[in-house]
Amino acid sequence: MTNNIIIGCGDVGTRLALQLRQHGATVQGVVRSAAGLARLAAAGIAGIQHDLFTDTAPAPSFITTGTQLFHFAPPPESGVIDLHTRNLLQLFTRTGQPQRIVYISTTGVYGDCQGAWIDETHPVQPQADRSRRRWDAEQRLQQWRETTGGEVVILRVAGIYDPQRLPLARLQQGIPLVRAEEAPYTNRIHVDDLVTVCRAAMERGVNGAVYNVCDGHPSTMTDYFLAVADAAGLPHPPLLPLSEAMEQLSAGMRSYMAESRRLSNRKLREELGVAFRYPDLATGLREISVG
């Protein structure tokens, strides 16, 4: 039986590991800290501690030869290069080459598309450094595939939501939003559907392929916040013109406001045959408790 290794086994990785175990698969989660190791142990998941932040870390106590490897480790917090992915690929010279890698990237690699509908053929033009780091990782992984003959599937994931990822604190504070007609389009995926996609990508994803991971029902960022407010029974925050609202936003939020795109998930549905449990935001908010 092929072993599954999850690099960066956080919330998504833990959910995936539990599902894989339920289906009889063997799985190991790799985390950076002792706290992460304890968290995996509490969930009954075999854990290994290894730090990808440095290429001088001691040799890890796991073997990746012929494994199915999920690469969920986030890139560094600054710069335009993902040293963590580069260190991981270098690590394979000591631990062996995996059979297949499924990597979680970001739809941010497309940059600003001015609200247009796009698919995986759209040119990559990342604007934010966080997206440039993901694009660097994608390129390195594809180079690894071409050099070693290993397999890679890239998942460009939209905004992930679940009960712990909703903007409730912001809504409770009544921080103003941009008027819907001026707000950028955003795309989402429920965390449970993301886990389903990860499993499908490992099982059926085309080698070298890229898939947009989203529910296919984008809305403006403002409409998203207002839908969450309604589901949580919270009042709507003030709506301001874009020029006025931008003065009150953090630098991080301003960078998100600078990009607008609507993503097609047709390739994902047709090639991976995934049926979403939460096919749109309304379904997701109806079936989770946010009150």
Side-chain angles (χ1 to χ4, degrees):
M1 179 181 296
T2 302
N3 187 36
N4 295 271
I5 294 180
I6 303 173
I7 305 291
C9 194
D11 177 52
V12 174
T14 298
R15 292 169 186 253
L16 173 62
L18 293 174
Q19 280 200 20
L20 290 171
R21 280 184 41 192
Q22 289 174 357
H23 288 79
T26 60
V27 58
Q28 295 173 297
V30 179
V31 292
R32 182 187 182 196
S33 67
L37 206 59
R39 176 179 51 78
L40 292 184
I45 300 168
I48 298 169
Q49 185 176 353
H50 184 77
D51 188 358
L52 284 176
F53 282 56
T54 172
D55 57 7
T56 60
S61 57
F62 59 89
I63 301 297
T64 52
T65 304
T67 58
Q68 296 183 153
L69 188 141
F70 296 90
H71 177 16
F72 296 169
E77 295 183 358
S78 62
V80 297
I81 294 173
D82 183 1
L83 291 176
H84 301 167
T85 293
R86 297 190 184 199
N87 288 342
L88 176 63
L89 296 177
Q90 181 63 31
L91 189 68
F92 295 157
T93 62
R94 292 188 284 170
T95 62
Q97 303 295 340
Q99 172 188 338
R100 167 170 282 219
I101 299 174
V102 169
Y103 174 62
I104 286 184
S105 183
T106 175
T107 58
V109 297
Y110 296 116
D112 180 29
C113 303
Q114 300 181 341
W117 278 98
I118 65 169
D119 61 16
E120 292 83 352
T121 65
H122 190 81
V124 169
Q125 46 190 7
Q127 296 173 213
D129 283 353
R130 63 178 180 275
S131 299
R132 294 189 178 102
R133 294 190 289 271
R134 295 289 190 177
W135 174 233
D136 176 69
E138 286 192 27
Q139 293 175 288
R140 298 298 168 182
L141 288 164
Q142 296 286 20
Q143 290 171 4
W144 171 85
R145 178 181 64 86
E146 295 170 359
T147 301
T148 67
E151 299 181 356
V152 168
V153 179
I154 305 292
L155 303 179
R156 290 178 179 162
V157 179
I160 306 170
Y161 76 98
D162 73 356
Q164 283 70 51
R165 291 180 172 89
L166 297 175
L168 298 179
R170 178 187 176 90
L171 289 167
Q172 289 166 345
Q173 295 170 26
I175 298 174
L177 297 173
V178 177
R179 293 185 304 189
E181 58 268 29
E182 294 184 88
Y185 279 98
T186 60
N187 306 264
R188 289 164 297 278
I189 186 73
H190 191 283
V191 66
D192 289 342
D193 288 329
L194 172 58
V195 171
T196 299
V197 170
C198 289
R199 288 182 54 210
M202 185 61 78
E203 295 171 4
R204 303 185 294 277
V206 175
N207 181 26
V210 173
Y211 297 95
N212 291 336
V213 183
C214 57
D215 62 21
H217 290 86
S219 66
T220 70
M221 186 178 294
T222 297
D223 286 338
Y224 166 66
F225 275 86
L226 297 182
V228 173
D230 290 340
L234 295 171
H236 287 191
L239 302 181
L240 303 178
L242 178 61
S243 57
E244 186 176 344
M246 290 293 277
E247 298 175 358
Q248 303 184 37
L249 298 177
S250 66
M253 182 60 73
R254 286 198 299 271
S255 71
Y256 282 110
M257 293 293 297
E259 298 182 10
S260 179
R261 52 189 169 265
R262 288 179 283 181
L263 296 168
S264 167
N265 65 2
R266 178 178 177 179
K267 183 179 179 181
L268 175 77
R269 290 183 287 104
E270 292 184 350
E271 291 191 6
L272 300 186
V274 173
F276 291 124
R277 179 179 178 185
Y278 304 97
D280 52 43
L281 180 63
T283 304
L285 294 180
R286 186 165 59 244
E287 295 194 14
I288 59 179
S289 175
V290 297

